[in-house]
Amino acid sequence: MSDRRAGGCLCGAVRFSARLPEMEIEACHCGQCQRWTGGGPLLAVKVENLEMTGEAAFSTYRASTWGERVFCGTCGSTLFWRMQGEPAGYVCVGLLDDQSGLAVKREIFVDHRPGWLPHWEDASQSTEAEQMDILSAYLKEQEK
Amino acid sequence: MITKTGQCLCGAVKFEAELKDATFGACHCGMCRRWTGGPMHAKDAEKLTVTAGQEALNSYNSSDWADRVSCGTCGSSLWYHLKKPEMFIVAVGTFDDQSDMVMASEIFIDHKPGGYAFAGDLKQMTEAEVMAAFAPPEGAR
């Protein structure tokens, strides 16, 4: 299933449209995402053929040696996390003008989920150790 | 009263918040969803003191009655600032210790997308109910 959707930040400085290759929301419970979103989890959807306007408003913050967090410098809206030097592969679901049909199907860094947040019944569960294994393999592949 | 220390992701902004209790609410309104990327989880503070990084605060005026404060360095969503009566509704994900926090309510429930829901016995309010509960009395507008 695929679909093209539009979205933007709160003040409208950043607008985009993208193809959604799947209708799944990924929820990240890592401590960095919790601080960044002010609660979390970071709810994100995979995007392809992303077309964005207003990139002059981007502010970026690097909390790790591999990742980059992009937000609107005007209104502070959380936009996306991406690998450094790469285009965004995911955007925050809250930015979409229309979120219909999307559902949380994957939870990652589940060992960092706060006690107040129950897990989603039909979402896959992955721990920090499992995610770091995936990341290490990816980074090793990039070095080749 | 509970005292919570907290900070943004990069640590530029640090604060201390006094809370009446450990319950908090989720807001599903469209503005919160664009701002935080999902629902906003926040607690109204009896008192909020910025202990470091006042100069790093980025304030965005999102309506006539409130602005939204984030860290200008890392973009962390920090708090919703209601102007009158002045109130600071602080994002619980920025607390150093969330272990005792309990989600108790959801507001703007009629704006919640279908793709996620929070389990548990939560008090729910629609946009109309929130507006009726918090609107100033006739004549005071």
Side-chain angles (χ1 to χ4, degrees), chain A residues 59-75:
Chain A
S59 279
T60 59
Y61 176 69
R62 294 180 170 183
S64 65
T65 53
W66 57 86
E68 183 166 69
R69 292 170 185 272
V70 182
F71 58 100
C72 173
T74 305
C75 64

Side-chain angles (χ1 to χ4, degrees), chain A residues 20-104:
Chain A
L20 306 189
E22 59 184 29
M23 302 303 277
E24 301 187 345
I25 298 172
E26 180 176 274
C28 179
H29 298 287
C30 84
Q32 291 186 2
C33 281
Q34 288 180 37
R35 294 253 189 208
W36 197 45
T37 62
L42 183 79
L43 298 168
V45 286
K46 203 178 265 186
V47 287
E48 288 177 351
N49 305 108
L50 181 64
E51 289 172 16
M52 210 167 249
T53 57
E55 295 187 10
F58 278 8
S59 279
T60 59
Y61 176 69
R62 294 180 170 183
S64 65
T65 53
W66 57 86
E68 183 166 69
R69 292 170 185 272
V70 182
F71 58 100
C72 173
T74 305
C75 64
S77 287
T78 303
L79 299 173
F80 51 83
W81 181 98
R82 67 181 171 194
M83 294 294 287
Q84 291 175 17
E86 293 185 20
Y90 286 83
V91 296
C92 288
V93 72
L95 303 169
L96 297 175
D97 298 339
D98 171 15
Q99 295 185 40
S100 60
L102 295 160
V104 176

Side-chain angles (χ1 to χ4, degrees), chain A residues 8-11 34-40 61 69 71 73-78 94-95 97 99 102-104 116-117 120, chain B residues 7 9-10 24 33-37 41 58 60 68 72-77 91-94 96 98 101 113 115 117-118:
Chain A
C9 67
L10 179 58
C11 71
Q34 288 180 37
R35 294 253 189 208
W36 197 45
T37 62
Y61 176 69
R69 292 170 185 272
F71 58 100
T74 305
C75 64
S77 287
T78 303
L95 303 169
D97 298 339
Q99 295 185 40
L102 295 160
V104 176
W116 52 261
L117 185 64
W120 277 278
Chain B
Q7 65 167 63
L9 176 57
C10 71
F24 68 92
R33 286 189 283 122
R34 289 211 196 255
W35 193 49
T36 67
H41 301 289
N58 176 31
Y60 174 68
R68 292 166 186 268
T73 304
C74 66
S76 293
S77 303
V92 301
T94 59
D96 296 330
Q98 304 176 43
M101 300 303 291
F118 299 120

Side-chain angles (χ1 to χ4, degrees), chain B residues 67-136:
Chain B
D67 46 29
R68 292 166 186 268
V69 179
S70 57
C71 170
T73 304
C74 66
S76 293
S77 303
L78 295 169
W79 52 79
Y80 177 87
H81 172 220
L82 195 64
K83 295 170 190 171
K84 259 185 193 174
E86 184 159 73
M87 197 187 279
F88 296 92
I89 304 163
V90 186
V92 301
T94 59
F95 294 167
D96 296 330
D97 175 16
Q98 304 176 43
S99 61
D100 57 341
M101 300 303 291
V102 180
M103 198 188 331
S105 60
E106 294 177 272
I107 59 171
F108 286 77
I109 191 69
D110 47 331
H111 292 265
K112 186 186 76 60
Y116 49 80
F118 299 120
D121 185 22
L122 305 172
K123 183 190 173 195
Q124 298 185 331
M125 291 173 87
T126 62
E127 174 178 7
E129 288 167 341
V130 171
M131 290 308 194
F134 295 104

Side-chain angles (χ1 to χ4, degrees), chain B residues 8-66:
Chain B
C8 61
L9 176 57
C10 71
V13 178
K14 294 188 198 305
F15 64 85
E16 205 172 276
E18 284 183 22
L19 314 179
K20 201 189 287 179
D21 57 51
T23 63
F24 68 92
C27 180
H28 297 287
C29 85
M31 290 171 84
C32 278
R33 286 189 283 122
R34 289 211 196 255
W35 193 49
T36 67
M40 181 164 180
H41 301 289
K43 172 68 174 175
D44 52 308
E46 302 298 306
K47 191 180 168 199
L48 178 70
T49 311
V50 176
T51 52
Q54 184 76 42
E55 69 289 348
L57 297 175
N58 176 31
S59 184
Y60 174 68
N61 193 54
S62 58
S63 64
D64 289 343
W65 56 88

